Amino acid sequence: MTMTRTQLILLATFGSAAFLGGAFLFQFAGYAPCQMCFWQRWPHAIVIALGAAALATKNRLICWLGAATMFVSTGLGLYHSGVERKWWDGPSSCTGGGDLGGSATDLLDSILAAPVVMCDEIPWRLSDWIPLEILDLTMANFNAMGSLVFAALWIVAARKA
């Protein structure tokens, strides 16, 4: 069975909506998001709007924009995954590295203003629930893999007659 362009767009759009909803559910469950987690939410929100526009207009260009947006999301997920695994440094604003700058008073004020969730710490792993080493996947890993699948769906939708 082959899927129509409309079905592919719906699948990619609802997939992003599910990822975004899942992020909010994790947050509601007490897993506070870091700054990079927030970055990863934006592409999913954008493709929800693109999905609505693609369905309303039937414009193929919107499907290509959906794919590009999901490639951005894939990159953000891969970058965050590497930061979590300490493969490379992340932004100093959420990994505790780098120059904090300013006076001690400025630093104290910023600490008191908002709690910082560290981007290089892994708050949830699938392997904590299913004890298999191969399942040592984090939310950032799932975002990267899912976004790549969604990008493929957008590409197939764009190429459909």
Side-chain angles (χ1 to χ4, degrees), residues 92 97-108 110:
S92 61
D99 179 22
L100 298 175
S103 68
T105 304
D106 292 339
L107 179 58
L108 181 60
S110 70

Side-chain angles (χ1 to χ4, degrees), residues 6-24:
T6 298
Q7 291 170 326
L8 290 162
I9 292 168
L10 285 170
L11 187 57
T13 302
F14 285 132
S16 282
F19 269 43
L20 196 53
F24 286 119

